[in-house]
Amino acid sequence: MMRTRPLKVALLGCGVVGSEVARIMTTHADDLAARIGAPVELAGIAVRRPDRVRAGVPAELVTTDATALVKRGDIDVVIEVIGGIEPARGLITTAFEHGASVVSANKALLAEDGAALHAKAEEHGADLYYEAAVAGAIPLVRPLRESLAGDKVNRVLGIVNGTTNFILDKMDTSGAGYSEALDEATALGYAEADPTADVEGYDAAAKAAILGGIAFHTRVTIEDVHREGITEITAADMASAKRMGCTVKLLAICERAADGRSVTARVHPAMIPLSHPLASVRGAYNAVFVEAEAAGELMFYGPGAGGSPTASAVLGDLVAVCRNKVNEATGPGESAYTRLPVGPMGDVVTRYHISLDVADKPGVLAQVATVFAEHGVSIDTVRQQGKDGEASLVVVTHRAPDAALSATVEALRGLGTVRGVASIMRVEGE
């Protein structure tokens, strides 16, 4: 039997995502009510600039006073899609204090202060859902938090930023340089006017923190995530990857240590074999591998950003939270019972692809090999080309602690026969 009193929803933000949420709530109102078991009513929309509200958004619902909106005693659910740390944090906290549950797409805030927000939600008997914060339309948070709750997740690896994937894909398929590929991404609307958050890996790092915390039932913040961007990737790097039968992707990797006593979280470019499913993820799409003990390998793939895909995830959370309201219940909150420490990047066991500019004379390869041996790093393959006294030496290592590999590179820089380190990249997916 359907409840007659509508559940009232406050929407914070009405940009690309918010306006699409408002549109779907209006046009699919009957379907949403049937799925929830109660009508859902959009009760107010808070914006900073009312003159920029998109066509089709009911003008009578628009307000610039977000605080007053979330303080209304009749609001059941607050949807936050404004982003950033403040005022979003204060508004979400106020919503909890006034009895509302929250659906958020705010990866930056959740990665920085998720534990405190979960605690506040629990204190007031409210829900905090955030499927849209990680990978757009791809169902990922709920499968990790609920579907795999009885399993043990050991690794999460994936492409979680569409902008960087578009840029790297363009460099790979067309031979374009980084700047040229970025310009095209900007022209097509995949990159912001200031692309720093994407290309320097901050966006992916926030998502990695959220995924790592859920997957391993421990607290991971963005400060725990090792981060490297793609701005130093060159056309020569892409060509080297092709010669190895690889391509280059910006990967978010969260994994449990072999002894199970710690976890690591990192974001960096890496070469992956063309045979790996992630190598075929093109354009602005996202894909994430989850490796669990019982379930094995699972792959989640789809559009990771954009108004409609992100709105789909927001509405999915809205339905779940509203169902909980109807049933006078709450969904799962934070699970951090393992309290595993987050280890440093130096503890991670990886492979390296290192390109060196060296003097073209006898004995150079032996000197380089000695440096690797002194640091306990085994060489897998080596390729050397030389002409007119100059040479390039490409070394691919076996797996070793990242700290040992970094120390090896620093020692190589000190060799008189090494003119420079042209590029360094990790190799994953093998």
Side-chain angles (χ1 to χ4, degrees):
M1 181 177 180
M2 182 174 292
R3 178 174 122 170
T4 57
R5 186 181 75 79
L7 292 162
K8 294 192 175 183
V9 178
L11 176 61
L12 308 182
C14 200
V16 174
V17 176
S19 59
E20 188 67 6
V21 169
R23 183 192 69 79
I24 295 173
M25 285 188 65
T26 302
T27 58
H28 294 189
D30 290 343
D31 286 334
L32 291 173
R35 294 166 190 173
I36 291 167
V40 180
E41 175 186 314
L42 189 56
I45 305 172
V47 299
R48 286 187 298 173
R49 300 181 181 91
D51 55 310
R52 295 189 181 181
V53 173
R54 296 172 182 265
V57 176
E60 67 275 11
L61 297 181
V62 174
T63 177
T64 57
D65 194 342
T67 301
L69 179 59
V70 298
K71 282 185 175 180
R72 281 175 45 176
D74 62 338
I75 298 296
D76 295 289
V77 182
V78 171
I79 298 175
E80 182 270 310
V81 289
I82 56 178
I85 305 302
E86 293 292 356
R89 174 164 44 200
L91 291 169
I92 290 173
T93 299
T94 300
F96 290 143
E97 292 170 347
H98 287 77
S101 289
V102 172
V103 172
S104 176
N106 196 330
K107 53 189 168 285
L109 177 57
L110 289 160
E112 178 177 302
D113 211 20
L117 293 177
H118 274 294
K120 182 64 70 172
E122 183 178 0
E123 177 187 347
H124 294 281
D127 276 324
L128 174 61
Y129 276 51
Y130 43 89
E131 186 69 69
V134 175
I138 304 172
L140 192 55
V141 171
R142 196 169 295 130
L144 282 173
R145 192 160 70 165
E146 300 178 33
S147 302
L148 294 173
D151 207 338
K152 181 182 180 182
V153 175
N154 290 318
R155 196 169 194 238
V156 179
L157 175 149
I159 298 164
V160 295
N161 182 273
T163 300
T164 52
N165 199 56
F166 178 89
I167 292 170
L168 293 173
D169 184 36
K170 181 58 63 174
M171 293 175 69
D172 179 51
T173 56
S174 71
Y178 167 77
S179 296
E180 183 183 350
L182 173 59
D183 288 343
E184 184 170 348
T186 303
L188 292 172
Y190 292 128
E192 301 287 346
D194 179 1
T196 302
D198 293 320
V199 300
E200 294 292 358
Y202 290 100
D203 175 86
K207 295 170 180 176
I210 294 169
L211 290 175
I214 298 171
F216 306 130
H217 303 276
T218 195
R219 286 180 178 169
V220 182
T221 72
I222 194 167
E223 297 299 322
D224 298 317
V225 182
H226 174 85
R227 175 193 55 79
E228 299 172 28
I230 66 166
T231 56
E232 301 300 318
I233 304 297
T234 66
D237 292 326
M238 306 303 288
S240 291
K242 281 189 175 182
R243 283 193 291 269
M244 286 182 61
C246 294
T247 189
V248 178
K249 298 293 186 182
L250 182 71
L251 299 180
I253 306 171
C254 306
E255 56 191 350
R256 194 185 299 269
D259 62 8
R261 295 178 181 178
S262 65
V263 299
T264 56
R266 51 194 165 109
V267 167
H268 56 72
M271 294 182 179
I272 58 173
L274 294 176
S275 58
H276 195 285
L278 288 179
S280 63
V281 178
R282 301 295 187 185
Y285 273 67
N286 286 187
V288 178
F289 262 89
V290 177
E291 299 173 11
E293 284 198 355
E297 291 186 350
L298 307 172
M299 182 173 173
F300 300 82
Y301 170 83
S308 294
T310 306
S312 171
V314 169
L315 268 295
D317 277 350
L318 177 65
V319 169
V321 169
C322 286
R323 284 172 175 169
N324 291 340
K325 285 282 185 179
V326 169
N327 294 320
E328 298 182 348
T330 55
E334 183 191 32
S335 175
Y337 73 93
T338 64
R339 298 178 180 173
L340 294 173
V342 183
M345 183 65 194
D347 291 348
V348 174
V349 177
T350 63
R351 299 179 67 203
Y352 265 25
H353 174 284
I354 306 168
S355 180
L356 304 171
D357 295 327
V358 300
D360 187 15
K361 62 182 184 180
V364 172
L365 179 56
Q367 291 179 359
V368 169
T370 297
V371 171
F372 278 90
E374 288 173 345
H375 290 83
V377 178
S378 175
I379 295 175
D380 182 15
T381 63
V382 62
R383 185 177 72 251
Q384 184 174 6
Q385 292 179 322
K387 185 178 180 182
D388 298 329
E390 298 294 331
S392 64
L393 191 65
V394 176
V395 178
V396 179
T397 72
H398 285 292
R399 288 168 61 83
D402 199 80
L405 290 162
S406 296
T408 302
V409 172
E410 288 307 306
L412 289 170
R413 294 182 195 276
L415 280 181
T417 50
V418 174
R419 307 289 172 79
V421 180
S423 69
I424 308 166
M425 195 174 302
R426 296 176 182 86
V427 182
E428 298 285 348
E430 294 183 328

